[in-house]
Amino acid sequence: MVDSKDAWVGSQNLDWRALEHIHETGLLIHDEKVVQQVQSLFDHDWQLQARLAADQKVIPDNIQPLPFVDAPGIQLVASPKAWNPAGITDSEQALTTLLNSSRKQVNIMVMDYTPLAYGHGPVRQYYPLIDNAVRAAAAHGATINLMVADWNLHQPALSYLKSLAMLPRINIRYVHIPEASSGPVPYARVLHSKVMTLDGSHSWVGTSNWSGGYLDNSRNLEIVVKDTALTLRLDRLFNQLWQSDYAHQLGPDTQPVSEAPGA
């Protein structure tokens, strides 16, 4: 946030790799009502962390509500629900509601899509909420185009992606970005955007990967916008990568990655 007039929400970490070697998407917000709400949420978290650092007990039920913001066409949502003050919509609720409303086409690009809690290895808690909503949207008639990073091709995540790709109207591609001409860049050269568009009218731009541990157990911010012009711009960005040589169709023969992400 800058001077309570402008705000930025997006997938970027604040380092040189994000700005030069990683596919990122962010939204610059000039609507002062929405900026005010982002600032209020930041102030809320700042004070909350100060209390936690001082070993003071923090009870979610005692969190003070944020002022109501009436900004037609644009909405701030956040996670996790338990730590949201009144006036901020839960990200899980907003995402599933949007997916359930779609009837034509949903474009999604995200680094990690897995219906399991964050982490690696065979023992991970099942997190079906997003995956169920995507499958339901396809069952209702929407075409789902899902684009993930090649870092997502580890097991057991790859098996879940393959099972999703078996369904009618669901298309999945993974993105492999070649090594930089200047040489290897660790933990870079990857699709890191977190974007969804629906039916050419609604957009979702945020900070969260689509797996367990993010929308249910971490502080993340997402912006939901009802605007045809913005959605068209994001669809163009999506299609540019979807149709490029970097995007590859995921199929039954797609092999899991053999090395750690970013190595």
Side-chain angles (χ1 to χ4, degrees):
M1 294 75 63
V2 179
D3 296 336
S4 298
K5 294 181 178 180
D6 304 288
W8 175 277
V9 174
S11 61
Q12 294 88 342
N13 290 307
L14 297 184
D15 70 358
W16 66 277
R17 289 172 300 186
L19 300 179
E20 294 185 24
H21 291 282
I22 301 176
H23 190 288
E24 311 275 12
T25 305
L27 188 62
L28 181 60
I29 305 164
H30 301 297
D31 189 307
E32 292 191 18
K33 294 180 179 178
V34 179
V35 174
Q36 175 192 356
Q37 199 166 37
V38 176
Q39 182 69 58
S40 297
L41 189 61
F42 177 91
D43 294 341
H44 160 268
D45 284 356
W46 185 271
Q47 295 170 9
L48 188 67
Q49 292 304 314
R51 293 169 63 186
L52 290 172
D55 293 326
Q56 296 180 13
K57 187 176 182 180
V58 178
I59 303 174
D61 292 342
N62 292 340
I63 296 175
Q64 295 298 312
L66 294 185
F68 173 74
V69 173
D70 183 16
I74 183 169
Q75 180 186 27
L76 170 69
V77 302
S79 62
K81 180 180 180 180
W83 295 98
N84 280 352
I88 296 292
T89 300
D90 171 41
S91 296
E92 287 183 318
Q93 175 186 340
L95 182 57
T96 54
T97 298
L98 280 171
L99 284 167
N100 289 337
S101 71
S102 177
R103 292 297 182 271
K104 297 178 182 179
Q105 180 167 305
V106 181
N107 292 333
I108 304 164
M109 56 178 168
V110 63
M111 186 181 81
D112 188 29
Y113 181 103
T114 313
L116 297 170
Y118 174 77
H120 297 279
V123 182
R124 294 165 61 182
Q125 183 177 354
Y126 187 48
Y127 178 76
L129 184 141
I130 298 174
D131 196 58
N132 285 348
V134 169
R135 292 170 184 263
H140 294 156
T143 297
I144 310 294
N145 297 319
L146 170 62
M147 191 159 44
V148 300
D150 54 351
W151 293 8
N152 201 175
L153 303 185
H154 53 75
Q155 290 291 18
L158 178 57
S159 294
Y160 282 101
L161 285 171
K162 287 182 177 181
S163 74
L164 186 63
M166 292 291 291
L167 297 179
R169 291 183 293 276
I170 295 184
N171 310 300
I172 302 179
R173 296 184 183 181
Y174 64 91
V175 175
H176 173 74
I177 300 178
E179 181 180 293
S181 59
S182 57
V185 180
Y187 295 95
R189 313 297 291 178
V190 67
L191 169 63
H192 194 245
S193 297
K194 284 86 173 170
V195 173
M196 174 177 67
T197 65
L198 300 99
D199 298 341
S201 60
H202 288 73
S203 303
W204 168 286
V205 178
T207 66
S208 179
N209 285 310
W210 285 26
S211 60
Y214 288 89
L215 296 183
D216 58 329
N217 202 32
S218 301
R219 173 60 87 203
N220 283 281
L221 304 183
E222 326 292 335
I223 299 294
V224 181
V225 183
K226 182 180 180 181
D227 184 87
T228 301
L230 176 63
T231 302
L232 177 61
R233 292 181 66 186
L234 289 170
D235 278 336
R236 286 174 176 168
L237 180 67
F238 178 92
N239 289 326
Q240 181 186 47
L241 189 56
W242 180 266
Q243 297 169 3
S244 73
D245 293 337
Y246 303 140
H248 309 274
Q249 193 73 24
L250 185 140
D253 297 329
T254 300
Q255 297 298 306
V257 293
S258 58
E259 59 183 18

